[in-house]
Amino acid sequence: MCGTCGCSDPADPVTLTDPEKGERSVLRRGPLAGPGHDEGHHHHHAHGQGHDHDHEHGHDHGHDQPHVHGPNGEVVSLEQAVLAENDRIALRNRGWFEGRGVLALNLVSSPGAGKTTLLERTIEALAGGVEIAVIEGDQMTANDAERIRAAGARAIQINTGAGCHLEADMVAEATRKLDPPPGSILMIENVGNLVCPALFDLGERMKVAIISTPEGEDKPLKYPHMFRAAGAVIVNKIDLAPHVDFDQARCFENIRQVNPDAELIVLSARTGEGMADWLAFLRRQRREEPIGA
Amino acid sequence: MHELGLTRNIVSIVAEHAGRRRVRRVRLAIGPFACVEPRALSFCFGLAAEGTVLAGASLEFLEAEGDAFLIKDYELEEVA
C-alpha cells in the first residue's frame, strides 16, 4: 500500500521506459502488493527521517518524543509532514540539478493543453544550442517519449499506472537514466492533471503551468492551487482564441487573482507565435542563479 | 483525488511510530493552501485504518498556516 496516489489500481505498476534502449523497468508495484513488498523498489511511505524512532517500539516512557497525558491515554507529538519522504527526495533532486547547472522545469496542465507539442517545438528551436532532456509522465503508453525522441531529444517515459501525478522518487530514477549534462534543460512533463501535481515537489526550479485557449479563461479560478504553485503560466493555442471566444485580458486577470507574481507567456506552439518569448524565458532561467542558493 | 493515498501514508507513519500499541486519536494540522480536503481524508481514514493499530481511531483537524500538512500528534489507548 505504498502508492501515495489513492486512485492507483493494484493491477497497475509504475514503470519507466527508455525508448532509445527499449528498456522497461518497474519502479513500483501495485499499491496493494501487501507487506514484504519493500525490497527492490522505491517505496514511498513517509517514514520518520533516519528511523530514529525504531527503538521505541514496545516502549513505555523514557524516549525523546515530547508527550503528555491526555484525558484518555498518552499523547505522542509527531509533527511530521505527511509528504516528508517525497519532499526529502525532491530536495536531493534540487541539489543535484543546481549543482550540475541543470535547469529543471515541471510542466503541468490539463490533458491536451499542448505540453508535448510545446516541447517538440522547443527542442527544434534550441537544436544545436542547448541540450534538452525530457521526463514524460503519463498513465499509459510511451507515445509522448517517442514524439520527443523523434523531435531530437532524449526522453524517459514514466507510466504511473492509475496514478495521477509524478513523485520525486520517479524523477530521481529517470534523472539517473538520462544523466543530463551541465548547462542542459530537463523538462519534466507531468501527468495531465490540474489537481494532484500541485502537491508534489519534484525538485524542479519551478512549475510552469500551461493553459490552452479552448479551456476557457476561468481555469485559474477553478484550479487555484496549481496556478498558485506555478512560477510561470503559458497561455497556449492563442491562434485559436478568436474561434473559441477566448478573452485574454480576463484570463490574465484570473491568473493574477490567484498568483500575482507568475510570469505570463502567450504563444501558439503550432504557429510559432510567441515562441520567442518562451525561449527568452528559458534563456533567462538558465542564466539565473537558483533562488535561495 | 489523492486523499486515499495520503491517508494510507498517515496511517502507515503513525502505525510504524506507535509500534504495537493501539491508537485512539490522530490529529492533523492542515493549512489553507495544503491542497488537501479534510472531509475526503476523514472519508478514507476508517478504510485505511482497518486492520491496523489505528482501527477505530478518530481523526481530528487543527488549523495551520500556509501549505502545512502535518501529523501533529496521536493519542495512544490506555494500557490496562
Side-chain angles (χ1 to χ4, degrees), chain A:
Chain A
M1 293 202 299
C2 52
T4 290
C5 174
C7 46
S8 291
D9 181 87
D12 293 325
V14 175
T15 63
L16 186 149
T17 307
D18 182 341
E20 208 163 326
K21 297 184 184 140
E23 288 172 1
R24 186 165 177 270
S25 53
V26 175
L27 278 184
R28 277 187 216 166
R29 293 186 196 101
L32 298 179
H37 64 292
D38 294 357
E39 287 83 27
H41 77 293
H42 299 267
H43 74 145
H44 220 259
H45 302 292
H47 295 296
Q49 271 103 348
H51 291 248
D52 56 354
H53 52 271
D54 280 354
H55 64 284
E56 290 162 25
H57 289 192
H59 69 335
D60 194 1
H61 289 276
H63 51 75
D64 296 338
Q65 292 295 331
H67 65 277
V68 294
H69 289 273
N72 296 309
E74 184 187 341
V75 177
V76 183
S77 176
L78 203 51
E79 299 280 351
Q80 187 182 327
V82 175
L83 295 174
E85 181 68 5
N86 181 77
D87 293 346
R88 190 182 61 75
I89 299 170
L91 211 61
R92 211 177 54 196
N93 289 348
R94 184 165 288 117
W96 194 91
F97 296 141
E98 287 179 3
R100 266 227 172 172
V102 171
L103 171 63
L105 298 177
N106 181 359
L107 305 186
V108 292
S109 80
S110 47
K115 292 187 295 298
T116 312
T117 306
L118 176 64
L119 285 180
E120 287 174 319
R121 296 294 97 81
T122 307
I123 291 160
E124 287 159 14
L126 295 180
V130 183
E131 180 169 343
I132 297 184
V134 180
I135 298 173
E136 279 287 344
D138 282 296
Q139 289 199 320
M140 298 282 170
T141 84
N143 293 357
D144 281 1
E146 293 292 352
R147 279 176 63 183
I148 294 300
R149 223 181 124 214
R154 290 184 308 133
I156 290 282
Q157 179 79 48
I158 295 173
N159 287 128
T160 56
C164 52
H165 57 269
L166 291 176
E167 292 180 23
D169 64 327
M170 304 175 193
V171 168
E173 191 60 38
T175 301
R176 254 192 295 280
K177 295 230 185 249
L178 281 171
D179 198 23
S184 64
I185 300 177
L186 178 67
M187 296 287 195
I188 306 164
E189 185 182 330
N190 219 312
V191 178
N193 175 354
L194 281 176
V195 184
C196 311
L199 192 58
F200 294 86
D201 185 9
L202 305 178
E204 72 276 357
R205 166 83 64 83
M206 69 164 69
K207 289 186 174 70
V208 176
I210 299 160
I211 173 177
S212 63
T213 54
E215 297 172 50
E217 305 89 357
D218 56 351
K219 271 279 163 75
L221 300 182
K222 288 175 171 170
Y223 301 94
H225 290 292
M226 185 60 86
F227 287 91
R228 198 174 287 127
V233 178
I234 294 175
V235 178
N236 189 22
K237 305 190 190 178
I238 197 64
D239 53 318
L240 298 181
H243 308 288
V244 294
D245 294 326
F246 179 80
D247 184 338
Q248 186 179 314
R250 219 171 83 214
C251 182
F252 276 19
E253 217 171 274
N254 292 341
I255 296 168
R256 287 274 166 258
Q257 204 173 317
V258 296
N259 188 343
D261 303 320
E263 185 147 349
L264 305 178
I265 301 163
V266 178
L267 57 81
S268 165
R270 198 176 67 90
T271 67
E273 180 186 346
M275 279 297 284
D277 294 338
W278 164 239
L279 297 175
F281 168 83
L282 289 179
R283 271 195 297 276
R284 220 159 45 241
Q285 287 298 321
R286 283 182 72 228
R287 271 200 309 271
E288 263 172 37
E289 286 300 310
I291 299 153

Side-chain angles (χ1 to χ4, degrees), chain A residues 1 3-4 6 32 44-47 51 53 56-57 59 65 72-83 164 196 199 225 228, chain B residues 1-2 4-6 8-10 12-14 16-17 19 21 24-25 32-36 69-78:
Chain A
M1 293 202 299
T4 290
L32 298 179
H44 220 259
H45 302 292
H47 295 296
H51 291 248
H53 52 271
E56 290 162 25
H57 289 192
H59 69 335
Q65 292 295 331
N72 296 309
E74 184 187 341
V75 177
V76 183
S77 176
L78 203 51
E79 299 280 351
Q80 187 182 327
V82 175
L83 295 174
C164 52
C196 311
L199 192 58
H225 290 292
R228 198 174 287 127
Chain B
M1 179 166 200
H2 46 245
L4 177 59
L6 295 173
R8 284 173 173 163
N9 260 13
I10 293 163
S12 101
I13 291 166
V14 175
E16 181 176 327
H17 204 265
R21 299 182 63 183
R24 181 194 291 268
R25 181 181 70 163
F33 302 127
C35 197
V36 189
F69 182 28
L70 296 174
I71 303 170
K72 186 79 181 162
D73 55 27
Y74 63 91
E75 187 179 327
L76 293 164
E77 277 191 5
E78 250 172 323

